Amino acid sequence: MTYPYTNEKLRIIAEQFLTRLKTCSDNKSLEALDIEFLGRHGIIAKLMEELKTLSLEEKRTLGPEINLLKKDLQASLLEKKSALTQQEAAAHAERQKLFDVTAYQPGELFGSLHPATHVVQEIEDVLMSMGFEILDGPEIETEEINFEALNIPKNHPARDMQDTFWLTLPQLLLRTHTSSVEIHAMRSRQPPFAIASAGRTYRHEATDACHDFVFMQCEGLLIDKKVSLSHLFATTKLFLQGIFKKEQIEIRIRPSYFPFVEPGIEIDMSCPFCAKGCSVCKKSNWIEICGAGMVHPHVLRAGGINPEEYSGFAFGFGLTRLIMMKYGINDIRYLHSNKLEFLKQF
Ligand code: PHE
């Protein structure tokens, strides 16, 4: 500051400005001060206006002094501004130093993936590595796709085995198995193809520790020329070895019946958890793992595929059971209980 100003008025203005400048702690207050003193209608501008009314003599002494004052105020403002910026940068650097990336807020709740999500991701990885395309099917299904196209006509006794949740809308239901996705796949692609689909299925059943009205299945379907049962055996064995990450897994085949496959079989796997019998395999060393078979010609035809030219295999297994086995969950109802103590473990 060019100090002291000979003119008393200018001296007071300069002092007021400096006092105010000291209290400015951020850019916003600096700007306000700038406008008040140096703005178009500010104090300095007013002094200039007043100058016009003064005598020539006064103009000569006061004019340059006002200009000097203006420059002084501008320079002080700039100085303060850069000081503030530096201060802010230093404070920021200090805060950075104290910032603890390992700190956590106690009591905070963290989300985690549901055990079903873990298992589905693992299974899909294995199936994709084997060349299966992963599909999603609707959970609300038509009677035609869930039953008829899968060779389960009305009044077929197999419908009783799959007590169905019907919607109040005609011919719509909650799918009772993921086999319905087989029909969607066949109707939307040309063979050869291999698809797999995991998801929720619904059956109108009384619930207990082992049964629930909603559970998960995973379906696999492969259609090509000259597909045989041996392809099915090799595929399921490789798949199970992949999921349980264990080479010593054997499979065992039992004849069974499902309307949409012929022949129909059930596949058991050697228990991956024990050598001599445990609670999972109920001391038998074998675990029932899936239903499977060669796709029935009626089903191929319903899917728009010529059974004279193509054949295929399908398998469907209870994913929920697999999840329970993998994590040692002994009550199926936990899986959709929304119990935090349960879910937090995964
Ligand atoms: N959909 C059958 C079930 O729910 C399983 C299955 C799928 C059987 C594919 C054979 C072939 O039990």
Side-chain angles (χ1 to χ4, degrees):
M1 274 268 165
T2 317
Y3 228 35
Y5 288 94
T6 48
N7 181 288
E8 175 67 3
K9 198 170 176 186
L10 298 193
R11 196 180 59 75
I12 291 175
I13 291 177
E15 254 161 35
Q16 275 176 348
F17 178 85
L18 284 180
T19 322
R20 293 274 305 281
L21 191 65
K22 271 187 206 138
T23 66
C24 286
S25 57
D26 54 18
N27 276 329
K28 220 171 144 193
S29 47
L30 272 188
E31 249 164 58
L33 196 66
D34 191 2
I35 291 169
E36 188 181 334
F37 282 80
L38 295 155
R40 247 190 308 147
H41 306 290
I43 292 170
I44 300 288
K46 281 209 185 91
L47 285 177
M48 293 292 201
E49 277 297 308
E50 281 166 25
L51 202 61
K52 288 181 193 157
T53 63
L54 300 181
S55 69
L56 199 62
E57 185 59 28
E58 284 170 311
K59 273 183 194 157
R60 264 207 198 113
T61 51
L62 206 54
E65 217 166 322
I66 294 177
N67 269 332
L68 207 59
L69 175 63
K70 189 175 172 184
K71 282 205 183 100
D72 270 348
L73 300 195
Q74 279 168 340
S76 312
L77 258 177
L78 257 179
E79 206 177 298
K80 177 82 180 191
K81 201 169 192 163
S82 77
L84 270 183
T85 312
Q86 268 172 27
Q87 246 174 43
E88 179 48 40
H92 182 73
E94 201 54 37
R95 281 200 300 276
Q96 289 292 98
K97 256 193 245 160
L98 295 175
F99 186 77
D100 179 1
V101 284
T102 65
Y104 70 100
Q105 266 181 297
E108 190 135 320
L109 277 181
F110 288 98
S112 60
L113 292 182
H114 192 276
T117 310
H118 281 297
V119 172
V120 167
Q121 283 176 351
E122 273 176 37
I123 283 179
E124 290 184 345
D125 277 350
V126 172
L127 285 166
M128 278 193 287
S129 75
M130 293 170 71
F132 282 84
E133 174 193 354
I134 306 297
L135 282 190
D136 253 340
E139 289 177 28
I140 292 179
E141 202 44 279
T142 63
E143 181 179 8
E144 195 265 326
I145 288 181
N146 193 83
F147 289 130
E148 258 118 78
L150 285 163
N151 201 27
I152 317 176
K154 272 200 181 67
N155 305 322
H156 193 288
R159 287 211 187 183
D160 297 339
M161 297 191 305
Q162 304 192 356
D163 280 328
T164 308
F165 283 111
W166 291 91
L167 270 65
T168 46
L169 299 165
Q171 275 118 48
L172 286 181
L173 47 84
L174 295 180
R175 68 176 175 193
T176 57
H177 49 183
T178 44
S179 301
S180 52
V181 186
E182 293 182 24
I183 303 297
H184 288 291
M186 287 192 263
R187 289 181 179 172
S188 58
R189 37 182 64 57
Q190 290 296 320
F193 62 81
I195 63 99
S197 184
R200 274 189 284 266
T201 49
Y202 303 83
R203 288 186 200 175
H204 195 283
E205 284 189 10
T207 60
D208 60 34
C210 306
H211 300 89
D212 206 348
F213 56 85
V214 51
F215 53 99
M216 294 184 83
Q217 288 192 336
C218 181
E219 197 82 8
L221 170 72
L222 179 141
I223 308 278
D224 201 347
K225 288 180 175 155
K226 299 202 175 80
V227 179
S228 72
L229 271 178
S230 48
H231 294 121
L232 169 61
F233 300 156
T235 305
T236 38
K237 186 168 172 179
L238 197 65
F239 167 62
L240 292 168
Q241 287 169 332
I243 299 180
F244 288 97
K245 299 187 178 68
K246 212 173 160 182
E247 240 179 82
Q248 307 85 339
I249 282 186
E250 297 303 328
I251 58 168
R252 166 172 101 167
I253 313 297
R254 289 175 288 117
S256 186
Y257 174 74
F258 303 95
F260 31 93
V261 283
E262 183 57 41
I265 59 168
E266 263 175 76
I267 301 178
D268 299 340
M269 66 184 282
S270 57
C271 182
F273 303 107
C274 71
K276 289 203 199 76
C278 63
S279 63
V280 181
C281 62
K282 302 199 186 79
K283 305 229 182 298
S284 72
N285 272 1
W286 292 97
I287 295 172
E288 288 176 24
I289 194 81
C290 73
M294 301 303 295
V295 183
H296 197 290
H298 287 179
V299 177
L300 287 173
R301 235 176 259 123
I305 289 168
N306 180 3
E308 309 293 335
E309 200 182 344
Y310 290 101
S311 54
F313 65 70
F315 59 86
F317 60 87
L319 240 182
T320 301
R321 243 174 60 95
L322 208 70
I323 298 164
M324 292 172 70
M325 273 194 311
K326 180 163 173 143
Y327 292 105
I329 299 164
N330 53 19
D331 191 327
I332 187 171
R333 290 165 296 190
Y334 275 126
L335 288 168
H336 67 165
S337 64
N338 273 354
K339 280 198 167 68
L340 279 182
E341 313 84 79
F342 168 74
L343 293 170
K344 270 196 290 201
Q345 304 172 77
F346 302 98

